[in-house]
Amino acid sequence: MKTSTFIEIERRGTGGWDEVLATEAHLVAPGEEWKSELWRVAVEQFNRAADLLELEQEMRARMLSPRRSLVVSFPVRLDSGEVRSFTGYRVQHTLTMGPTKGGIRYAPGISLGECAALAMWMTLKCALVGLPFGGAKGGVRCDPNRLSPQELERLTRRYAAELFPIIGPDRDIPAPDMATSEREMAWFMDTYSQQVGHPAPEIVTGKPVVLGGTAGRREATGLGAVFCTERLLEQLGWDLAGQRVAIQGFGNVGSVMARELDARGAVIVGLSDVTGGVVDQAGLDVAAVERWVAGHRFMRGCPEGLYVTRQEILETPCDILIPAALEHQLTEDNAADVDCRLVVEAANGPTTPEAEKILSERGIMILPDLLVNSGGVTVSYFEWVQDQQRYLWDGFEVASRLESKMRTAVDRVIETAEALETDWRTAAQSVAIVRIAEASRLRAIYP
Ligand code: NAD
């Protein structure tokens, strides 16, 4: 078929593309814009739940197509005077549930497909916990370690200005993610406020408290994960006191979990970071490890317990293993050597589908990331609510509301898993999908 005849083909939805693609091999098929490893995993997990729910094709297609995305290219003047062009992204996955919400990351490998997968997970996470948001994710392709603070500020401000047409407190509310923090959120909020002509703290969450950030945001993800673990153990009839816990990752999430679980009587038998870790079956002194890391930045050389490598921490004998560092940590290569009864996924995507199969065959339970780390976005929601009302809560109120949300979400997941006779990951996805599908049906289709 020649190109000229393509325009004769009547286009209904994506109709006509099969013929176009048959001859124009260089074209990107509809949906292929999102192609990435993370998108593949996200779609696979989604389909497992959608199959179980017998979700209609139309609804699947809607949920698997991010609703709005923006790719921007913009110049930034470097300290040397040279001007460099950067590419930025923002994907808004679902617009049905309310404004969209999701982080901004600075990373060399970021792509539209990666943002799409992360935005979809944000949609599901918000729906699971019952927050009035759809999911979003964005970022700038750069190596943040090679940019000075001044360059990062110019890059952040220009990226914020580029996103201006599609963001807003009632449209899309960014937050920190990889390589962005309170500092970037302050620049972002200031840039947006300059554009609209008045202070607009509600445009981002994860801000410094003095600019309208919330008490408890920094600890939110780790504390939320501990509340989830506590509730699950109550449901399983296990006593948290005395459980042996090993944690991979000692950053924002891992260090808070270590401290909070230790305070609740768990025995912390292993801790690690990017430089390796320490183990002690009699229990590590968490405060001493924290002091070492505060003074030396990394865990390497820490005199507590015995040294283990980054890989060995995942094979430490324990009751509860908590990956709290990176994605893709429990794989088919090490799943057979994992020595625990329960995996609590504090990181996003730490277990590959292949490893999950091996772990479940071995009777090891997995509390999924969608549920475990949803405390972060929950407290971001609290921050947005406080900013809208110009009424700030104290840390106690934030923590008690977080606890209630986390416990309810755990109970919903366990009930759903029992009702559908499935695993907790698929149950968590199912709770979210049912909610989004119901909202989509009720809003119907415009026009
Ligand atoms: P962080 O950067 O504060 O800490 C990451 C930790 O992992 C560091 O201690 C680092 O040294 C360690 N690490 C890095 N590579 C490692 C490796 N190969 N082996 C062992 N340790 C390694 O990050 P964070 O905010 O604690 O986030 C951790 C995970 O939790 C990520 O998957 C993130 O997406 C997820 N998460 C975080 C939040 C949040 O609010 N911070 C919210 C939701 C999900």
Side-chain angles (χ1 to χ4, degrees):
M1 194 184 288
K2 292 215 174 64
T3 314
S4 57
T5 56
F6 297 149
I7 46 177
E8 308 298 330
I9 297 169
E10 186 184 1
R11 304 277 160 81
R12 288 186 188 275
T14 54
W17 273 97
D18 292 345
E19 290 84 348
V20 174
L21 288 164
T23 48
E24 301 281 320
H26 62 282
L27 287 177
V28 173
E32 291 215 339
E33 295 86 348
W34 320 114
K35 216 172 176 181
S36 65
E37 174 55 16
L38 228 45
W39 181 248
R40 180 190 73 81
V41 174
V43 172
E44 196 178 312
Q45 291 177 355
F46 173 88
N47 279 335
R48 209 184 325 153
D51 287 347
L52 193 66
L53 295 168
E54 296 179 2
L55 190 71
E56 64 268 33
Q57 200 52 42
E58 172 206 313
M59 201 57 76
R60 282 178 198 236
R62 287 169 68 181
M63 289 194 205
L64 286 176
S65 310
R67 290 292 301 282
R68 192 183 278 158
S69 57
L70 181 68
V71 182
V72 292
S73 171
F74 55 90
V76 174
R77 192 173 298 282
L78 303 184
D79 294 343
S80 64
E82 184 196 340
V83 173
R84 179 97 38 97
S85 187
F86 290 87
T87 303
Y89 306 95
R90 185 74 182 166
V91 176
Q92 299 171 347
H93 176 265
T94 291
L95 306 180
T96 310
M97 312 302 289
T100 48
K101 185 95 197 70
I104 287 171
R105 53 173 60 178
Y106 294 164
I110 191 171
S111 66
L112 192 62
E114 181 179 302
C115 290
L118 293 164
M120 178 155 113
W121 279 332
M122 283 301 294
T123 295
L124 296 171
K125 213 175 276 189
C126 292
L128 169 61
V129 191
L131 309 180
F133 293 134
K137 204 69 152 198
V140 179
R141 187 183 290 179
C142 65
D143 184 348
N145 298 318
R146 292 178 179 215
L147 295 168
S148 71
Q150 294 72 26
E151 290 167 337
L152 281 169
E153 179 176 351
R154 289 194 288 275
L155 179 136
T156 303
R157 288 184 178 280
R158 181 63 191 250
Y159 173 63
E162 296 288 337
L163 295 193
F164 192 73
I166 63 161
I167 57 170
D170 297 316
R171 293 180 178 187
D172 184 9
I173 308 117
D177 197 80
M178 272 164 59
T180 60
S181 62
E182 288 184 2
R183 180 182 67 169
E184 283 73 18
M185 294 307 107
W187 293 331
F188 200 105
M189 173 260 184
D190 182 69
T191 306
Y192 185 85
S193 300
Q194 300 294 340
Q195 302 255 356
V196 295
H198 58 83
E202 60 275 29
I203 181 60
V204 286
T205 57
K207 299 174 292 293
V209 171
V210 71
L211 294 179
T214 182
R217 175 62 186 91
R218 233 173 269 164
E219 300 79 26
T221 307
L223 191 58
V226 169
F227 289 147
C228 282
T229 310
E230 256 184 323
R231 180 59 182 158
L232 173 70
L233 265 50
E234 279 172 29
Q235 292 269 16
L236 293 175
W238 300 7
D239 199 354
L240 176 55
Q243 297 294 328
R244 294 165 307 142
V245 176
I247 305 178
Q248 181 203 38
F250 202 65
N252 179 298
V253 179
S255 65
V256 170
M257 288 194 78
R259 197 185 316 139
E260 295 288 338
L261 289 169
D262 184 49
R264 287 162 171 77
V267 183
I268 309 299
V269 296
L271 292 170
S272 76
D273 71 5
V274 68
T275 62
V278 284
V279 293
D280 184 347
Q281 283 295 320
L284 291 162
D285 180 344
V286 175
V289 176
E290 274 197 282
R291 279 194 300 276
W292 174 270
V293 174
H296 300 80
R297 194 160 165 228
F298 293 113
M299 216 167 266
R300 185 192 293 123
C302 177
E304 299 296 315
L306 292 174
Y307 172 81
V308 287
T309 64
R310 282 196 320 222
Q311 287 73 35
E312 284 166 346
I313 190 79
L314 297 170
E315 295 160 19
T316 305
C318 58
D319 299 301
I320 306 174
L321 177 64
I322 305 180
L326 301 171
E327 64 282 345
H328 212 270
Q329 293 304 298
L330 301 176
T331 66
E332 57 189 331
D333 296 333
N334 62 8
D337 300 317
V338 167
D339 190 357
C340 68
R341 296 196 284 166
L342 167 69
V343 174
V344 171
E345 292 183 337
N348 276 316
T351 313
T352 65
E354 297 74 26
E356 182 156 5
K357 193 161 173 287
I358 298 169
L359 293 174
S360 78
E361 280 164 9
R362 295 184 54 215
I364 297 173
M365 298 173 282
I366 302 177
L367 197 63
D369 48 3
L370 208 61
L371 173 62
V372 176
N373 67 36
S374 61
V377 69
T378 301
V379 174
S380 271
Y381 163 62
F382 295 160
E383 181 175 336
W384 178 74
V385 168
Q386 293 171 67
D387 287 338
Q388 302 261 7
Q389 299 180 343
R390 302 289 194 263
Y391 180 77
L392 304 181
W393 312 346
D394 61 23
F396 177 76
E397 177 147 19
V398 171
S400 62
R401 285 178 187 261
L402 173 66
E403 181 169 17
S404 149
K405 285 257 178 220
M406 294 294 99
R407 291 174 74 88
T408 307
V410 171
D411 291 352
R412 283 292 298 283
V413 169
I414 294 175
E415 274 162 35
T416 306
E418 280 166 11
L420 296 176
E421 295 180 358
T422 189
D423 57 88
W424 293 329
R425 188 188 312 285
T426 310
Q429 294 249 345
S430 301
V431 171
I433 292 170
V434 166
R435 195 178 157 90
I436 299 160
E438 186 188 355
S440 303
R441 288 187 203 107
L442 288 169
R443 283 188 63 165
I445 294 175
Y446 172 86

